[in-house]
Amino acid sequence: MTEVPLTKDTAPTADALVVLDNVNKHFGALHVLQDIDLTVARGEVVVVIGPSGSGKSTLCRTINRLETVDSGSVAIDGKPLPEEGRELARLRADVGMVFQSFNLFAHKTVLENVTLGQIKVRRTDKKAAEEKARKLLDRVGVGAQADKYPAQLSGGQQQRVAIARALAMDPKVMLFDEPTSALDPEMINEVLEVMQQLARDGMTMVVVTHEMGFARSAANRVVFMADGRIVEEAEPEQFFSNPRSDRAKDFLSKIL
Ligand code: ADP
Ligand code: MG
């Protein structure tokens, strides 16, 4: 993994994969994202934490334009995300997303879940798509479940299929929005381990999670949000042992 700088100001632009520049967004009167500057370098793992309602999910959703922004810009690999159209669809496919609620297609098999996007969006032929899907399913440890339907799998298995499905699109960056929050405790680790491995393999990742063990071991940087703002960002060790802001201190005292 490349050496990753701590702040936007020191990030080598050539290596900047995701750039949010002064992003603002409102939901009615609620200023949900306020002056967000965030740069994620290629190969970097950024963990986003913060209290419920602070805007973490909205931030994730702006990165692939599931949410529009009121002002500021979002760029992926040097290309600004347009409002709509074919170019947006193409850029969006570069951003893999894994949600809290696995969101698999219930009436498709596991294998079909992982081939569908490849065939429809990437125009991969069926045989090649299936080959790739089986490899990815093996990689996340659910190769034996390929012909089952999502409901026949445990939550941890379903979430790993969701990760395989996102990876099948060859994303440049993977977004994870509380991927283990809906899981029974005994299944959390099997999903975190897959994410750890991805991080080690050099995938660029933005991960919203309250799993501090993951943050400590996999993150290059922790971004702490409160009330729609990035309040603090630091390397994990520094953040957890010596948070600077009162908001972060208060938050950590409640969860650690
Ligand atoms: P987090 O993921 O940090 O819990 P969210 O990004 O989900 O926070 O939400 C931030 C705030 O925006 C919350 O107050 C939430 O109720 C509000 N919000 C989120 N989505 C919408 C929406 N589609 N319409 C109106 N308000 C929303
Ligand atoms: Mg959320």
Side-chain angles (χ1 to χ4, degrees):
M1 201 171 288
T2 48
E3 180 90 353
V4 170
L6 278 184
T7 65
K8 183 182 174 185
D9 292 332
T10 56
T13 320
D15 223 9
L17 187 55
V18 178
V19 180
L20 279 74
D21 187 15
N22 201 18
V23 165
N24 281 277
K25 179 170 183 69
H26 296 76
F27 286 123
L30 178 68
H31 197 170
V32 61
L33 295 178
Q34 304 187 33
D35 303 330
I36 298 288
D37 286 326
L38 178 69
T39 297
V40 183
R42 205 181 301 278
E44 188 180 18
V45 178
V46 173
V47 162
V48 180
I49 68 172
S52 178
S54 56
K56 306 179 299 294
S57 292
T58 307
L59 175 72
C60 271
R61 292 164 59 82
T62 61
I63 294 177
N64 62 355
R65 261 276 193 269
L66 287 174
E67 300 283 358
T68 57
V69 299
D70 299 337
S71 66
S73 64
V74 180
I76 306 292
D77 211 1
K79 299 193 189 78
L81 284 183
E83 290 286 329
E84 55 189 14
R86 197 180 283 181
E87 175 69 359
L88 174 62
R90 225 177 44 73
L91 288 174
R92 192 181 266 163
D94 288 338
V95 182
M97 181 129 189
V98 175
F99 302 90
Q100 181 175 332
S101 52
F102 330 124
N103 292 36
L104 295 174
F105 303 114
H107 304 292
K108 306 265 181 214
T109 65
V110 163
L111 188 72
E112 287 164 346
N113 265 278
V114 184
T115 56
L116 203 65
Q118 296 185 66
I119 294 166
K120 294 230 180 255
V121 180
R122 294 295 197 210
R123 304 276 171 216
T124 311
D125 76 69
K126 189 166 176 234
K127 188 159 168 291
E130 288 185 353
E131 218 165 274
K132 183 170 182 179
R134 288 189 191 280
K135 261 190 208 142
L136 286 168
L137 289 168
D138 279 342
R139 183 168 156 198
V140 301
V142 290
Q145 319 299 328
D147 300 319
K148 293 188 181 163
Y149 286 87
Q152 296 173 280
L153 272 55
S154 72
Q157 289 173 324
Q158 288 187 55
Q159 194 59 305
R160 285 180 284 149
V161 173
I163 294 172
R165 181 175 63 177
L167 290 174
M169 304 298 282
D170 295 322
K172 290 179 176 168
V173 53
M174 287 278 287
L175 309 179
F176 294 85
D177 189 1
E178 302 206 29
T180 59
S181 295
L183 295 177
D184 291 334
E186 74 272 20
M187 292 169 189
I188 291 175
N189 276 340
E190 66 195 45
V191 172
L192 291 178
E193 275 162 24
V194 167
M195 293 166 61
Q196 291 270 12
Q197 188 57 53
L198 262 185
R200 279 196 293 269
D201 291 345
M203 176 60 76
T204 308
M205 296 162 64
V206 176
V207 184
V208 179
T209 185
H210 296 293
E211 293 293 333
M212 298 304 134
F214 176 85
R216 277 176 185 272
S217 61
N220 298 105
R221 181 162 46 126
V222 172
V223 167
F224 175 72
M225 284 187 77
D227 298 332
R229 291 183 182 277
I230 294 178
V231 172
E232 185 165 342
E233 42 185 319
E235 283 176 356
E237 278 317 312
Q238 193 202 327
F239 179 77
F240 291 117
S241 60
N242 192 18
R244 294 186 302 267
S245 63
D246 290 341
R247 292 300 304 262
K249 283 178 194 159
D250 181 54
F251 177 74
L252 289 173
S253 74
K254 287 178 181 140
I255 63 159
L256 291 181

